[in-house]
Amino acid sequence: MNALEAINLSKTYSDTDGFFLKNKKNIRAVNDISFTLKENQTLGIVGESGCGKSTLARMLVGLLEPSSGTINLQNKNIQQYQRQELGQVIQYVFQDPLSSLNPRKTIYQSLAAPLKYLHQQDNSLIKEKMLSVMGEVGLKEEFLDRYPHEFSGGQAQRIGIARALLADAKILILDEPVSALDVSIQSQVLNLLNDLKRKFNLSFIVISHDLAVVENISDEIAVMYFGDIVEHNSSKEIFQKPRHPYTELLVGSVPELNKQFADISNKNTELPDPANPPLGCSFYSRCSYGSEKCQNTKTPINSTKKLPFVSCFHPL
Ligand SMILES: Nc1ncnc2c1ncn2[C@@H]1O[C@H](COP(=O)(O)OP(=O)(O)OP(=O)(O)O)[C@@H](O)[C@H]1O
Ligand SMILES: [Mg+2]
């Protein structure tokens, strides 16, 4: 069974979505993307800042209404789920774990919420369940009475993961789960995720701007650029044989172990304007292989959801 299926999913933020949009423009954030997440697998989604990763994530968990397209969770359309039922199937671990926790609530109160509201768990059983999950993610019992500001980034991330696990959902969307952490702590959290996936038969989407982060934990990787999935393949093939010029650029900038992470966002030009997206390939302005066709023709989408997929007229 597929854990999750996205079919022709798009999101354009219109001027009604945000009063802060200065010039009342439509912003294209996610552009006609399709993919499947298989059960007990991890799909890494990578791409630079602003390419639409969090927008995609928020649609997948039902926090944001897509402009068009379909989302199926465990072979059932997301719209057919009641709120409570949805929370028992899929959980979002937020990009910034500290700010997603209520600063006025203790960790006990934050962690009790999914048990109370999603599972109507009896008060007497809440602490027992909580302590068992906290043990799984390496959190101590004494943390329960503390407030969010009293935690390090790594601990806050573990709390976010614990909260998702307490919902007992089998699909977890982890948005930049380690980007706020020191490199040494990053691998601890990634290893923890791998262990939890095996132990509890979970399916993950792990979102990162850093290809090195998703390399070791992903079965498959989808590379996003400016709202498109430009390449989707097994993790191994993405590294061994990148087919899209953007993936090639990303793979080329993945640092060797213990070296500084490279910042690919400074290379050449900036992203195109999401309020005025280009007609053809959005990577054209940065691409060394581009032709006239690339400039003027809409690039392929993965309508069959088969792998390997590359959205390029001149794949490598
Ligand atoms: N509520 C909103 N209203 C209007 N535009 C938005 C809104 N949220 C995001 N955007 C725009 O949509 C695009 C995608 O944003 P998104 O947050 O999904 O990117 P991201 O890949 O998660 O970036 P990051 O790596 O920085 O977290 C950006 O151009 C962003 O400015
Ligand atoms: Mg984001």
Side-chain angles (χ1 to χ4, degrees), residues 10-301:
S10 295
K11 179 68 188 178
T12 299
Y13 291 103
S14 64
D15 47 14
T16 50
D17 285 328
F19 56 85
F20 54 85
L21 288 179
K22 276 187 208 116
N23 302 322
K24 299 273 179 192
K25 287 175 186 164
N26 289 337
I27 302 286
R28 189 178 88 178
V30 168
N31 183 29
D32 205 354
I33 69 181
S34 299
F35 64 87
T36 45
L37 167 68
K38 297 182 195 84
E39 251 181 0
N40 304 335
Q41 296 235 317
T42 298
L43 169 65
I45 295 187
V46 286
E48 60 205 68
S49 183
C51 74
K53 303 181 296 297
S54 297
T55 300
L56 171 65
R58 288 166 60 222
M59 289 194 285
L60 296 178
V61 297
L63 285 173
L64 186 69
E65 180 90 11
S67 304
S68 60
T70 307
I71 297 162
N72 295 324
L73 302 172
Q74 297 177 343
N75 294 352
K76 179 170 147 184
N77 191 303
I78 195 170
Q79 291 177 338
Q80 288 168 4
Y81 284 91
Q82 305 292 328
R83 264 255 146 250
Q84 224 173 30
E85 193 192 358
L86 189 62
Q88 294 169 15
V89 170
I90 190 163
Q91 282 285 318
Y92 185 34
V93 180
F94 285 83
Q95 180 158 4
D96 179 355
L98 268 183
S99 68
S100 74
L101 294 167
N102 186 330
R104 283 181 291 276
K105 283 191 175 163
T106 62
I107 296 315
Y108 179 90
Q109 289 170 310
S110 287
L111 291 183
L115 292 169
K116 278 189 188 161
Y117 303 119
L118 292 178
H119 294 285
Q120 284 78 44
Q121 188 81 251
D122 203 67
N123 266 340
S124 59
L125 294 175
I126 282 184
K127 191 158 177 190
E128 191 185 324
K129 182 101 208 263
M130 215 182 263
L131 289 178
S132 126
V133 167
M134 286 174 75
E136 295 290 349
V137 303
L139 291 170
K140 296 188 197 127
E141 181 175 354
E142 69 219 48
F143 290 172
L144 281 176
D145 299 325
R146 290 203 204 158
Y147 290 87
H149 71 269
E150 297 172 84
F151 291 98
S152 71
Q155 288 166 340
Q157 195 55 265
R158 285 166 197 267
I159 294 167
I161 294 168
R163 193 166 57 164
L165 291 177
L166 284 165
D168 217 14
K170 292 291 180 207
I171 312 169
L172 261 58
I173 312 290
L174 298 124
D175 197 348
E176 300 277 6
V178 298
S179 64
L181 310 178
D182 288 344
V183 177
S184 58
I185 316 279
Q186 284 190 350
S187 54
Q188 283 177 19
V189 172
L190 293 173
N191 288 337
L192 169 68
L193 288 174
N194 249 346
D195 294 345
L196 294 171
K197 182 179 87 165
R198 272 192 223 108
K199 192 160 180 185
F200 298 110
N201 292 323
L202 305 172
S203 313
F204 288 156
I205 290 184
V206 177
I207 290 171
S208 178
H209 63 277
D210 188 341
L211 195 55
V213 162
V214 296
E215 178 176 9
N216 292 322
I217 59 164
S218 302
D219 300 289
E220 294 175 7
I221 292 177
V223 179
M224 282 186 77
Y225 187 79
F226 193 64
D228 298 316
I229 287 182
V230 295
E231 181 163 0
H232 184 171
N233 207 349
S234 69
S235 178
K236 197 171 147 206
E237 287 254 314
I238 286 279
F239 282 88
Q240 283 182 356
K241 190 183 184 326
R243 290 167 164 83
H244 195 283
Y246 179 58
T247 315
E248 185 190 44
L249 176 69
L250 284 181
V251 170
S253 60
V254 168
E256 286 164 40
L257 216 58
N258 299 329
K259 280 202 192 145
Q260 271 291 310
F261 286 143
D263 182 5
I264 53 117
S265 59
N266 293 334
K267 287 243 165 69
N268 303 325
T269 55
E270 292 190 352
L271 280 166
D273 178 6
N276 188 17
L279 199 61
C281 176
S282 41
F283 190 62
Y284 175 76
S285 61
R286 290 168 77 176
C287 189
S288 329
Y289 313 96
S291 66
E292 203 181 316
K293 184 176 183 187
C294 307
Q295 200 175 3
N296 301 315
T297 318
K298 187 172 156 35
T299 46
I301 55 165

